[in-house]
Amino acid sequence: MSTTVRVRAFDTGYCVARAGLIARGTGWHEARCHAPAFLIEHPGHGPLLFDTGYAPRLLDAFRTWPARIYALATPTTIGMPLVAQLAGAGVAAHEVRTVIVSHLHADHVAGLLDFAAARFVVSGAALALQRRARGVDAVRRGIVQQLFPADFDRRATVIDAFAGEALPALGATHDLLGDGSVRLVPLPGHARGQLGAMLRTDTGDVLLCADGAWSTRAYRELRPPHPITRLMQDDLTELVATLDALRRFAAARPACTILPTHCPDTLRWAAGS
């Protein structure tokens, strides 16, 4: 019998942006980009996390230069920290031994410091960027260095080899646990070294696509972010290619649930799961 996992989402807060910046041609009304983190419960490996969302320490970082630039660009409301929500769900921080870091942006990593026993699964390209990006260049890339543990480098498990079962349009995967239940896949463009995770659950496959798309509509209708966001993207050409790959993957695997981190559809899925 194939190993399956259970996945749950925990909302940690949101930032405010204009809809047309997130997905071109969708209007200029205000949109809330929520930042859920995902708990993956494995029968043998225990609880794993896919990202850690916002945490109150981000507001402290925002008071310093140059992270203040980030605060001005993305007005942020912090919710209950992930570590507290997990405790309420019966999962203690020390039980979490693996955190998959999809990419380095502050809304995905602000809770890392709460998980002192965890290894951090990260792409080699992302780790190399974390090592060198500083000052305004780091903030431009969405990186706030105060959010990373001092021993992030030592605790990193680097994923660079993708030679496992290929996903339609998305390409080869990396079998993280060796049983096919959690397979990592590169989703380039938005952030350097971004990873997604294909999960095999009791109720069907779930693809956590991080910021490979900012919304379901973005990949279904091929609506990339507005060009004004180019400075915030690692590679806009690759971003558009990833959106198209997600569109083609969705067509090939219609039974798979695709969860873009910041999409309102993801929160609706979480409420009903």
Side-chain angles (χ1 to χ4, degrees):
M1 182 175 179
S2 298
T3 303
T4 60
V5 296
R6 180 186 181 195
V7 58
R8 289 186 278 173
F10 295 85
D11 187 17
T12 64
Y14 62 89
C15 71
V16 175
R18 295 293 168 182
L21 294 180
I22 299 168
R24 199 180 310 171
T26 57
W28 292 100
H29 59 279
E30 186 177 280
R32 289 184 176 184
C33 297
H34 285 260
F38 299 88
L39 171 66
I40 303 167
E41 296 171 287
H42 188 280
H45 293 268
L48 299 78
L49 292 174
F50 183 87
D51 292 336
T52 59
Y54 286 124
R57 64 178 59 88
L58 179 59
L59 298 181
D60 295 331
F62 278 168
R63 297 187 183 98
T64 66
W65 179 262
R68 195 174 302 157
I69 300 171
Y70 196 123
L72 293 172
T74 57
T76 301
T77 297
I78 305 294
M80 182 184 292
L82 175 62
V83 67
Q85 295 188 62
L86 291 178
V91 179
H94 71 269
E95 295 179 279
V96 176
R97 297 306 179 100
T98 300
V99 177
I100 301 166
V101 181
S102 71
H103 60 292
L104 305 177
H105 291 178
D107 52 335
H108 294 256
V109 304
L112 290 181
L113 284 160
D114 294 319
F115 301 96
R119 63 169 179 151
F120 303 120
V121 175
V122 62
S123 72
L127 182 61
L129 182 61
Q130 192 273 335
R131 286 169 173 161
R132 68 174 175 78
R134 293 294 184 271
V136 172
D137 178 59
V139 172
R140 181 186 72 79
R141 296 173 181 274
I143 299 171
V144 177
Q145 289 288 1
Q146 298 98 306
L147 302 177
F148 292 89
D151 58 354
F152 183 77
D153 194 300
R154 181 179 62 79
R155 291 161 60 191
T157 295
V158 176
I159 305 298
D160 273 334
F162 298 90
E165 181 182 351
L167 300 177
L170 297 175
T173 60
H174 177 91
D175 188 349
L176 181 63
L177 304 177
D179 59 11
S181 63
V182 180
R183 289 178 289 153
L184 304 181
V185 62
L187 297 173
H190 170 67
R192 185 72 53 87
Q194 180 173 241
L195 299 173
M198 175 64 114
L199 310 178
R200 186 168 60 209
T201 81
D202 283 337
T203 57
D205 288 343
V206 174
L207 175 64
L208 305 179
C209 73
D211 292 3
W214 278 345
S215 68
T216 301
R217 187 178 180 185
Y219 73 78
R220 284 181 177 169
E221 300 178 9
L222 284 184
R223 293 183 179 272
H226 192 280
I228 200 172
T229 70
R230 182 182 295 272
L231 281 176
M232 300 166 55
Q233 314 298 342
D234 185 59
D235 186 312
L236 194 57
T237 299
E238 286 193 332
L239 183 155
V240 174
T242 291
L243 280 180
D244 183 56
L246 287 168
R247 180 188 62 82
R248 290 183 286 125
F249 172 79
R253 295 278 184 89
C256 180
T257 299
I258 302 175
L259 299 178
T261 291
H262 302 303
C263 183
D265 291 341
T266 296
L267 289 186
R268 285 189 282 270
W269 170 88
S273 64

